[in-house]
């Protein structure tokens, strides 16, 4: 866990918990339900707690309304989304240790971003061998270290939702072999690194596709300030012609989190996406994107609303960097997070405005999210 004022980033499942529940695989059949509830029952018994190393059980829930303000554009084929109430996220997570050198994680639940009508699914799962405090290796389904924002849990980022472009640059919950290093040089300075070899995004196999990623985060001597980046080598059949195409993703950024101030910015570069442009192949199509967000957490001293955190984020996404004409979209998000009687319960008010889009494209609707969420 990232060290901020004596808080350490020891696991990708706590603190700065890694995030997205998008593109999640692992749907549970009836036997899956039986297995999940059996595990929950067993780990709650004293004997199981002693054998399994007293596992921790965490629950998370987020319910919200989504309101859209905009008009349809029938000429260009745009329909403004319908306003609605949804269960954004609901999950139970079990994590613990099997003896001194093995740790595990299992999360089951549901998330609206995984798709409409999807029920209970396996969201995360991992088993790691940890011979040293700073080193572990294993197989996992979960979040991979691709900078800061893409590595963090969706419910825990500053804004209600991550930047719009993040799915284009990385699958949310890939499965594969992972080696993690987390080492502290001093109280404030340290390094986190991760090497992952993952199933391909399209078929979920290693045969003719893959997703290999190297991530690195350096915790600087300045309290709360980290810099980091990643590089992904990808093979995937973007053309759907049976031949794998080569692609790459990389990014650089910084994260500052101290003295109630949060400031984060990241820049992403990608090559190799599905291309509908006649002059540029899928292997050659390039994208560029970046975002910057800032927030301040004001502690009120009030028991009912213990803190108020206003924030703002600006994001830019160039969907076809090496294609003629303009293909850049920009968005501005402003919001407010209110603590509700506990550090673990909050109310989010999040308003996103599409600022700019290419000529001769439709105007997207503005979006307002009102969310209640909590963790235990």
């Amino acid at each position: 866990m990232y060290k901020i004022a004596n808080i350490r980033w020891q696991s990708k499942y706590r603190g700065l918990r890694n995030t997205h529940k998008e593109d999640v695989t692992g749907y549970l059949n009836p036997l899956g339900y039986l297995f999940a509830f059996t595990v929950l029952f067993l780990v709650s018994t004293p004997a199981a707690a002693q054998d399994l190393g007293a596992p921790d059980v965490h629950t998370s829930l987020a319910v919200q309304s989504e309101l859209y303000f905009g008009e349809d554009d029938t000429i260009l084929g745009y329909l403004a989304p319908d306003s609605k109430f949804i269960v954004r996220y609901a999950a139970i997570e079990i994590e613990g240790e099997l003896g001194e050198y093995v740790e595990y994680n299992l999360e089951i639940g549901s998330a609206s971003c995984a798709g409409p009508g999807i029920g209970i699914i396996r969201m995360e799962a991992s088993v790691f061998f940890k011979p040293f405090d700073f080193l572990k290796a294993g197989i996992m389904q979960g979040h991979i270290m691709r900078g800061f924002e893409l590595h963090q849990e969706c419910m825990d980022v500053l804004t209600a939702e991550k930047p719009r472009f993040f799915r284009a640059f990385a699958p949310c919950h890939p499965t594969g072999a992972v080696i993690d290093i987390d080492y502290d040089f001093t109280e404030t300075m340290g390094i986190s690194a991760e090497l992952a070899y993952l199933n391909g995004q399209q078929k979920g196999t290693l045969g003719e596709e893959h997703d290999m990623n190297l991530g690195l985060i350096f915790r600087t001597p300045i309290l709360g300030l980290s810099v980091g980046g990643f590089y992904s080598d990808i093979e995937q059949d973007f053309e759907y012609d049976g031949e794998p195409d080569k692609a790459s993703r990389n990014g650089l950024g910084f994260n500052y989190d101290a003295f109630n101030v949060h400031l984060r910015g990241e820049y992403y570069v990608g090559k190799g996406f599905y291309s509908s442009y006649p002059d540029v192949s899928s292997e050659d199509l390039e994208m560029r994107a970046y975002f910057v967000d800032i927030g301040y957490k004001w502690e009120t001293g009030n028991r009912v609303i213990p803190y108020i955190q206003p924030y703002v984020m600006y994001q830019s996404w160039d969907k076809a960097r090496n294609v003629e004409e303009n293909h850049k979209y920009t968005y501005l998000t402003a919001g407010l997070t209110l603590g509700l009687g506990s550090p673990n319960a909050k109310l989010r008010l999040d308003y996103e405005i599409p600022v700019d889009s290419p000529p001769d494209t439709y105007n997207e609707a503005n979006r307002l999210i009102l969310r209640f969420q909590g963790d235990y």
Side-chain angles (χ1 to χ4, degrees), residues 345-376:
K346 62 185 70 174
L347 168 65
R348 288 181 179 267
L349 299 170
D350 187 278
Y351 194 71
E352 181 189 75
I353 303 172
V355 176
D356 198 12
S357 60
D360 302 322
T361 59
Y362 52 78
N363 294 319
E364 296 180 75
N366 295 1
R367 181 188 68 190
L368 172 64
I369 293 178
L370 173 64
R371 175 188 298 166
F372 292 91
Q373 72 179 73
D375 302 280
Y376 175 75

Side-chain angles (χ1 to χ4, degrees), residues 2-201:
Y2 170 59
K3 181 175 285 187
I4 304 172
N6 295 326
I7 299 176
R8 297 191 58 225
W9 189 10
Q10 296 171 336
S11 165
K12 61 169 61 70
Y13 304 109
R14 293 181 180 173
L16 278 176
R17 300 181 63 239
N18 302 330
T19 84
H20 331 196
K21 300 311 178 222
E22 296 74 5
D23 297 339
V24 182
T25 60
Y27 301 94
L28 294 181
N29 56 27
L31 289 178
Y33 286 99
L34 178 61
F35 169 77
F37 286 112
T38 300
V39 170
L40 288 174
F41 172 77
L42 288 177
V43 300
S44 65
T45 65
Q50 182 177 0
D51 294 340
L52 296 178
D56 295 324
V57 179
H58 308 281
T59 59
S60 299
L61 177 64
V63 292
Q64 69 186 39
S65 63
E66 296 178 0
L67 304 177
Y68 293 91
F69 307 93
E71 298 181 356
D72 298 341
D73 190 332
T74 55
I75 296 178
L76 296 177
Y78 174 75
L79 298 178
D82 294 325
S83 300
K84 56 189 175 182
F85 295 102
I86 63 171
V87 177
R88 174 63 179 85
Y89 178 74
I92 298 175
E93 180 185 24
I94 305 167
E95 59 180 353
E97 298 178 350
L98 299 174
E100 186 177 356
Y101 301 108
V102 177
E103 62 181 41
Y104 64 91
N105 163 268
L106 173 64
E107 184 179 58
I108 59 173
S110 178
S112 63
C113 47
I118 291 178
I120 303 298
I121 57 177
R122 184 189 69 247
M123 292 177 152
E124 294 182 358
S126 69
V127 176
F128 279 98
F129 173 58
K130 192 173 181 179
F132 307 102
D133 289 340
F134 64 89
L135 173 67
K136 63 181 181 180
I139 296 177
M140 66 171 284
Q141 174 192 347
H143 296 84
I144 301 301
M145 186 184 293
R146 305 184 205 257
F148 298 98
E149 192 83 355
L150 302 185
H151 191 215
Q152 194 173 349
E153 177 62 51
C154 273
M155 296 295 100
D156 294 338
V157 296
L158 181 65
T159 53
E161 298 292 347
K162 294 187 176 184
R164 289 179 170 239
F165 53 77
F166 79 92
R167 282 205 215 183
F169 284 86
C172 291
H173 276 179
T175 302
V178 175
I179 299 175
D180 275 329
I181 296 174
D182 187 9
Y183 190 81
D184 291 326
F185 301 110
T186 68
E187 279 293 312
T188 58
M189 187 171 63
I191 189 171
S192 295
E194 182 179 86
L195 178 63
Y197 192 85
L198 311 158
N199 290 337
Q201 182 177 0

